[in-house]
Structure formats: structure tokens, C-alpha cells
Amino acid sequence: MRQPAKRKKKVNLKQTAFTRFMLIIAVFVLWIGGISARLVNLQVQQAQWLKEKAEDVRENRKRSRQLRGTIYDRNERALAISVNVKTLFADATELEDVKATAKAVAKVLKINESKLEKQLSDAKEAERKFVPIAKGLDAQTAELVNKALEDPKLSKSDTPKFVALHWREDQTRTYPYETLAAHVIGFSNAEGTGQAGIEQSQNDELFGAIINKVQIRDRIGNVYDETVTEKKPPKEIVLTISVPIQFATDQALERRVKESGSKSGMAVVIDNKTGEILALSNYPTYNPNNLKEIRPENLPNGVIQSIYSPGSVFKLVTYSSALEKKLITPDGEIDAGSGKIEVAKHVFTDSHAIGRVNYKKALAQSSNVCAIKTSMRVGKESFYDYVQKFGFGKPTGIELPAETGGIVRNIDRWNGDSLASMSIGYEIGVSALQMATAFATIANDGVRIQPHLIKEIRQSDETTPPLPVPESRQVVSRETARDLRSMLREVVLTGTGRRAQLDGYSSAGKTGTAWKFDPAIKGINRSKYVSSFIGFAPAENPAVTIAVVMDEPKLGGRDGGGAAAPAFHEIAQTILPELNVARDIESSSTVAEAEDIPETPGADGADALAQTPQTGGPKLNDGDVERPKAALPKPDAAKKATEKGPLPNPTKPRDPKAKNSNEKEKAIEPSNRQIKNKSSSTARMEYRT
């Protein structure tokens, strides 16, 4: 029997349509939900990162600096200038083929390919955006690099047309005259910051303005908007230094250091009327274009940083104070006796007995006995007062870093023979610039003018605001200065300074010869000298003062007259015509026919100073530096040095039984603590001369 057929289930079309619709809605909901979640993640959680990423792609920020200000001499000769250069660098984040890039660049620049490849690989891994490849390239070299690396298929807005390579604008400092006035000008580092000399002391004035540039680029890198902001522009410095005078001084000093076998030398030339320094020289020196050659022995500026005992040139203060107090006259007489004098049980001597002479002759013969007798008439209070009036014991204020103030003990720390020792240039520490300024004071009718190096500071708009007027002070009267000039003239005509005579010009000055303190033997080393000559010309109406100081001369005449006076002669003979100074005497009248007069440092050879000389003593400018930089002051260095003992007394050995309590033999403390301005190198050499 045939079974009935099954009835087909009736399909609910509406239900099916609804189900499909809901599935579609669910898919849309999930899709929109996913998009929403992603949008929330991007626009909220990663908004700042995405913003920075977009700005990084769209904006190009550049930070550059205007050229550092130029330094000129007094006649507008450029002594230090900055020039634009380029640095080729790679953006490692843009590198595609490190090996190919290294090969192409190494071939063009002729550098080590494997080393460059490793450098770029490491940078790419670290995602560095600035990888310097070649620095200091001039515009011509950069253009050659652009041509050699150009890829015509590459669409790139900047040069070179090579993937991941770019240029950065930089600058470099150059010194056209190389070693000339190196210790005055100084140098700056790769970042454009001054490290020594005027470059350091005037860094804020010379430093180039910072320029911030924001460029907005399109998708292919073309700039369509730019914003530039900058700070104050740099200024230019005009110095009082004269290139011809500085050159003559440098040459004469170097020649004399080598001829005399000296360890080092210093020289300074000052315009008496204005206090302007026309030349300041140290030898050995350095070339600021080559920082690798800067060493501890040639970096410090000895003229303002080195302390030494001046010896007989300090008799300028002794006789000035006596003349000012009207205790003596140039033609008045004094008895030097047998050439010996005992003060506080210590003997001071002359090189030879001169008997009874006038004060002109006493100074000309550099008699220690006469100078000591004169200082005793002045008295220690008045003598100390004039030492301070002449500017000793404090910095001169010259516009250079790390100037020392020298060493002048407070009067309550003097010993029984301290006045005698100081009157002939011991138990006191000075700088070459301080001594030169003292002589310039006498040359300028007794008016002391603060020495200075900066003539003007020129603004970017070419205006030159007035600088502070150099401090001036009447130290001694015009009459005293005139009398002392006549006495110093006699030193050159008939005394210890005959080698300082000039052809066609009168000159005046004083020799100085002082033994050095040697830490190796803890006393005066009679085989080591600091010899100097300081003078001015013409004698009656001086135009310039010239100081020359030689450290440890070994050949020929080792005293001030033999070691330093010839350099004075050479410098003065060259620069006076340069300054258009009229000749004031006949050439034939300057010829010295008599023999040189020897000068003694001042102690009796039978005293306890006759210790075994030591060789290889400390350098005039010692100290250690790890890299080229200015000798910065260490405030406590000098004070620690003074705690080891008093300044050199040429006649007094150190008493091993002396107490270390509050005796006068105790440590010397410089007055007004000006010694804290010394550099570390200076602190190590104090008390040596």
C-alpha cells in the first residue's frame, strides 16, 4: 500500500530575512566596534606619539649658530675669525642598504669602508638620526661630494642626492697669525666655547647667536613654510695689541730664550700714557690652530699667572718711597762701606764694594747695601704702604682669566730682616705685568693707569658703546717720578743695564737678578736665576715700558743685564720707529765702552745658603692638564703652598728648630687673599725666585 508523501515544512521567509538581517547587523556592530576601539587607541592612547611622528615627518627643525665674533688688533687686523663649514651626516633611520652606502661614501671621502659600515650598522640598530661622517668641509669640497654622490633617480629636496645623507651647517675657528699673541687671544673648543685668553674671558660677548629654524615640508620634502627665531647676535672685540709690535716682541723673546739657554721667557709692552698693552708674549708658546700641541709647559700665561721674586728691579719701589718722603735726592750721597751689611744677624752683600757714592750711582751699580739702608730710613710702615700703592698684592684687573695677585705678606708677619729683603726684591712675589705696570707708573709722571687689553667691543650694528675708563691713581709726585727716571737713566748709561742702550733713543731701566727657591732642597738654589730687565724709552718723555723676564738662563751673562737687557734693546729698537717716536739722541752717544757691571742676587757666599744645587727643578709653568683648556684658578692652592714656609730670603736658611706655632716663621698668608686668583700651575711655582 502506498504511503502518503511527507509534507514539506513551510519556510518562514520573514524569520529568515530577520535572522539574516540580524547577522548583518552583528557583523556591522563588531566591525564598527573594532574600528571604534582602534580609533580610541590611536586618538587617545597613542595621540601624543602619533602627533610627534607626524610633526617629525612634516616639520624639519634646525638649530644653528651665527659665526662667533671676530677678534681684531688695534689696526683692524683679524686675529681670530670663524668660517662656515659643513658636516656630512647620515640619518640611520633612513638607511636602506648600509653596505652600499658605506662603499659609496668611503670611495668619495677616501676613508675606511669597513669602519664606516660598522658605524652605520650600529647607528641603524640604535635608530640614530645623526651620525657624523665628515666634519669641517668647506663649500668647495662639499660641492665635489654632492656631485660624486648624486643619484639622478632619487627624488630628494636636499643635497647630497643620496639616500639618508644630509649636510649640517657648522663653523670652525681659525687664527690667521698662528702663534702670535696666542696667550692673549686664547682658543675655543669644537662647541665654540672659549677655553683661554680673550676667547674665554669675553666668551659671552663673542658667542654666536642661536638660530632656531622650523621648516614645514610637503610629502616629497619641499619647504612651503618656515619660522626663524634667534637670540642676541655676537659682538666683535678690538684689542690694544699691535700685530707688528707683538711680532717683534715674540721674535726677540724667542731668540733670546734660545741664545741664553733659558727654560722660558716673558715680555710685555705697555703704552705709558694710556695703560694699553701693545704686546704680551710668552715663550714657549703654542699654535691655537693645532690644539694637540698644547702642553702644560706652554699653556699658562706666565706674564699674569707666574709668581717670582723680582730681585733688584724692585728697588724701584725702595727709591721711589724714599724720594717721595724727601729722605734722599739723586745726587745725595750714601756710604756702601765694604759692600756688606748685617740685619737681624743676617748678612747682605754687593757684588763689589763701591764705597761712598751718590744715589744715582748706588742704583746704577745695583748696590744691595745702599738699597737696604735706604729702606730702613723709609721704615717698614711707609715701605709697605708704597708697595700697595704700586699695585702689588692684588691683580691688575687685566681682561684675562686666572690672573694672580702676587704675594705680599701683612706687615705683622714680617721678620726682623724682612724690610731689608723686600727692599732688594725678596720675600715678595710679583707677576711680570705687575712689575711692568710699576715702571710704567714712573714713566707716566707717577700716575698708575690700570693695564688693559680691550680697546672696544663692537655691537652687531657697528656701534661701540663706551667701555669703563681704566682706573688711574697718583702713586708718587711728578718730581719723584722725574728724579727716579734720571736715576734709572744712569743704570743704562754707566751701570748694570748697559746692554739696554739704544741707537738714536735714550733709555732707562733696571736689571733684576734673583735666586730661585728650589723645593727639592727646600731653599734657595744658587745655580738657578730669574733674570729681568724692565725699562722705558725715550728716557725723558717715555712712550712705552718694556719688561723682559728670563727663567733660568744658562748661557752667557745670566744676570738681568746679560740675559734680559739685550731682548729689551731689540724690542725697543724695532717698535719705537713703528710708533713714530722721534729720535732724541745721536747714535754715537749710545755706545757702551766700559765692561759690564756684575749684579749679585744679594747674599753672603759664606752663609747657610750654600747648599748643593739640584738639577731638574720644577718648571716655571708646571701643572697637568688632560686636554687643552685654560688654567683655571684653584683658590686654596696658593694658601696651601704658603703653609710650607715663608717667601725666599736670600740670606736666611730655614731653622730646623723653628716652632710651627704663632712664630713669625709661621706660614705666610697673603694680604687681602688676592692670591686666590692664581691658577693651579701658578700655585706650584710660587716662592721659587
Side-chain angles (χ1 to χ4, degrees):
M1 188 169 91
R2 192 175 178 187
Q3 294 188 7
K6 291 183 179 181
R7 295 180 62 184
K8 292 184 179 180
K9 190 175 181 180
K10 188 177 182 179
V11 177
N12 190 337
L13 296 177
K14 290 184 178 181
Q15 182 64 37
T16 301
F18 178 77
T19 301
R20 291 176 178 175
F21 175 75
M22 292 305 295
L23 287 173
I24 293 172
I25 293 297
V27 171
F28 270 104
V29 169
L30 292 174
W31 180 58
I32 293 173
I35 291 176
S36 299
R38 180 58 175 163
L39 288 173
V40 169
N41 177 262
L42 293 176
Q43 295 186 12
V44 178
Q45 296 178 350
Q46 299 188 52
Q48 187 60 34
W49 179 83
L50 289 171
K51 180 181 177 181
E52 292 175 356
K53 188 76 173 176
E55 289 178 349
D56 187 51
V57 173
R58 187 168 59 94
E59 293 182 355
N60 183 23
R61 295 178 178 271
K62 291 186 176 181
R63 188 174 184 270
S64 59
R65 183 164 51 87
Q66 287 187 5
L67 292 178
R68 186 174 174 84
T70 303
I71 300 176
Y72 297 96
D73 86 329
R74 64 186 302 112
N75 297 310
E76 301 291 331
R77 296 180 177 95
L79 302 175
I81 58 177
S82 290
V83 294
N84 286 314
V85 293
K86 292 177 178 288
T87 295
L88 180 66
F89 72 94
D91 183 344
T93 63
E94 300 175 355
L95 282 172
E96 297 174 355
D97 189 337
V98 172
K99 187 171 184 179
T101 301
K103 183 177 181 180
V105 174
K107 181 179 179 181
V108 172
L109 297 178
K110 294 180 175 55
I111 57 178
N112 188 287
E113 180 182 339
S114 59
K115 186 176 180 181
L116 178 59
E117 183 179 347
K118 185 178 185 308
Q119 180 185 8
L120 295 177
S121 296
D122 293 344
K124 183 176 178 61
E125 186 175 336
E127 296 185 348
R128 290 170 53 197
K129 297 183 71 65
F130 180 78
V131 186
I133 297 175
K135 297 180 179 180
L137 303 182
D138 57 33
Q140 184 177 3
T141 304
E143 187 60 31
L144 293 175
V145 172
N146 286 338
K147 291 180 180 179
L149 292 175
E150 185 173 3
D151 182 358
K153 299 178 182 179
L154 181 65
S155 177
K156 190 165 176 279
S157 61
D158 64 335
T159 56
K161 298 287 186 180
F162 198 95
V163 175
L165 296 185
H166 308 275
W167 290 108
R168 186 181 75 175
E169 297 292 335
D170 280 332
Q171 59 178 277
T172 187
R173 198 70 161 165
T174 183
Y175 303 89
Y177 290 94
E178 299 182 338
T179 61
L180 185 134
H183 289 90
V184 174
I185 302 166
F187 58 90
S188 58
N189 61 17
E191 288 72 39
T193 302
Q195 300 293 292
I198 291 294
E199 292 275 35
Q200 180 181 352
S201 67
Q202 303 301 311
N203 186 65
D204 290 345
E205 307 291 347
L206 293 166
F207 199 83
I210 302 299
I211 303 172
N212 292 308
K213 186 183 294 185
V214 180
Q215 296 176 331
I216 309 300
R217 298 177 179 273
D218 60 19
R219 63 184 180 84
I220 63 172
N222 295 318
V223 176
Y224 66 86
D225 191 18
E226 184 175 76
T227 303
V228 179
T229 59
E230 64 180 59
K231 296 182 180 179
K232 66 175 184 177
K235 301 173 184 176
E236 296 177 336
I237 306 293
V238 180
L239 301 181
T240 60
I241 293 292
S242 167
V243 165
I245 295 176
Q246 180 71 46
F247 180 78
T249 304
D250 286 353
Q251 292 294 303
L253 182 65
E254 178 181 356
R255 187 178 298 109
R256 192 61 200 144
V257 167
K258 292 178 178 178
E259 289 175 352
S260 64
S262 298
K263 180 184 294 184
S264 61
M266 303 174 282
V268 61
V269 180
I270 301 178
D271 185 319
N272 302 314
K273 304 298 182 184
T274 64
E276 294 180 347
I277 295 179
L278 304 178
L280 189 154
S281 181
N282 292 271
Y283 188 84
T285 185
Y286 62 86
N287 184 347
N289 291 308
N290 183 10
L291 300 185
K292 293 181 179 179
E293 73 174 30
I294 297 178
R295 303 180 301 277
E297 57 267 28
N298 64 13
L299 174 61
N301 186 343
V303 172
I304 65 168
Q305 291 178 268
S306 295
I307 296 176
Y308 66 100
S309 289
S312 292
V313 290
F314 204 74
K315 292 172 184 175
L316 175 98
V317 178
T318 304
Y319 287 107
S320 291
S321 58
L323 287 168
E324 185 70 4
K325 292 177 67 66
K326 301 189 183 306
L327 299 174
I328 66 171
T329 62
D331 296 321
E333 293 189 342
I334 184 173
D335 190 1
S338 62
K340 292 185 179 182
I341 186 172
E342 183 175 330
V343 180
K345 298 182 180 181
H346 298 108
V347 178
F348 297 81
T349 66
D350 286 335
S351 60
H352 60 287
I354 60 175
R356 189 172 185 82
V357 295
N358 61 29
Y359 282 95
K360 276 187 177 181
K361 191 74 170 178
L363 182 60
Q365 302 283 322
S366 199
S367 169
N368 294 321
V369 173
C370 292
I372 291 169
K373 286 185 174 181
T374 302
S375 69
M376 289 178 174
R377 293 186 65 185
V378 174
K380 65 179 184 180
E381 289 81 7
S382 293
F383 184 84
Y384 179 69
D385 182 47
Y386 280 101
V387 168
Q388 292 184 309
K389 285 182 178 179
F390 272 101
F392 297 102
K394 58 184 178 182
T396 66
I398 191 173
E399 307 96 326
L400 289 173
E403 182 188 12
T404 178
I407 303 174
V408 176
R409 294 183 301 166
N410 290 323
I411 198 169
D412 58 357
R413 291 186 175 273
W414 288 15
N415 301 310
D417 61 343
S418 290
L419 176 59
S421 294
M422 292 177 69
S423 70
I424 61 173
Y426 286 93
E427 290 196 31
I428 188 168
V430 305
S431 71
L433 182 59
Q434 286 177 326
M435 279 306 319
T437 304
F439 273 77
T441 299
I442 298 303
N444 192 38
D445 290 333
V447 178
R448 181 184 184 276
I449 300 180
Q450 180 183 7
H452 55 283
L453 274 165
I454 296 180
K455 195 171 184 66
E456 62 184 45
I457 298 178
R458 190 176 298 150
Q459 308 282 356
S460 58
D461 60 0
E462 297 297 320
T463 60
T464 54
L467 296 175
V469 177
E471 179 184 347
S472 63
R473 177 181 183 181
Q474 189 80 44
V475 177
V476 296
S477 67
R478 180 187 295 266
E479 292 73 25
T480 293
R482 184 189 62 237
D483 288 344
L484 191 56
R485 287 201 299 270
S486 69
M487 295 172 68
L488 294 172
R489 172 66 175 151
E490 197 67 24
V491 174
V492 174
L493 289 176
T494 65
T496 58
R498 298 185 184 193
R499 292 177 184 266
Q501 293 181 16
L502 305 175
D503 181 12
Y505 297 97
S506 60
S507 59
K510 184 68 187 79
T511 56
T513 310
W515 284 317
K516 294 184 65 176
F517 180 83
D518 191 343
I521 60 175
K522 297 182 179 179
I524 297 294
N525 190 329
R526 292 162 59 92
S527 68
K528 296 181 178 182
Y529 297 84
V530 171
S531 300
S532 59
F533 183 88
I534 308 177
F536 39 78
E540 291 302 318
N541 185 25
V544 291
T545 291
I546 303 170
V548 179
V549 183
M550 311 297 288
D551 182 44
E552 295 187 26
K554 298 178 180 62
L555 305 174
R558 298 173 59 197
D559 60 2
F568 169 92
H569 167 89
E570 184 176 344
I571 295 169
Q573 200 70 62
T574 304
I575 71 173
L576 289 174
E578 172 70 23
L579 293 170
N580 295 318
V581 177
R583 292 172 173 254
D584 64 334
I585 60 174
E586 295 293 333
S587 298
S588 59
S589 65
T590 65
V591 179
E593 297 177 355
E595 295 181 358
D596 291 335
I597 297 174
E599 181 178 47
T600 179
D604 187 351
D607 66 20
L609 284 174
Q611 304 179 50
T612 304
Q614 301 292 320
T615 59
K619 299 177 181 179
L620 181 64
N621 293 316
D622 60 0
D624 298 319
V625 292
E626 297 179 357
R627 59 186 176 83
K629 59 183 179 180
L632 299 176
K634 290 186 177 179
D636 296 329
K639 186 175 180 181
K640 289 180 181 178
T642 60
E643 292 172 355
K644 298 179 181 178
L647 287 164
N649 184 323
T651 64
K652 181 163 55 181
R654 192 162 180 80
D655 186 358
K657 298 180 180 180
K659 297 179 180 179
N660 293 323
S661 57
N662 294 322
E663 301 290 338
K664 289 185 178 180
E665 291 281 337
K666 194 178 177 182
I668 301 166
E669 183 174 341
S671 62
N672 65 33
R673 301 187 184 272
Q674 293 291 346
I675 193 65
K676 290 186 177 182
N677 292 326
K678 292 202 308 302
S679 68
S680 58
S681 63
T682 304
R684 294 190 179 97
M685 61 77 62
E686 61 188 26
Y687 311 156
R688 294 179 189 166
T689 59

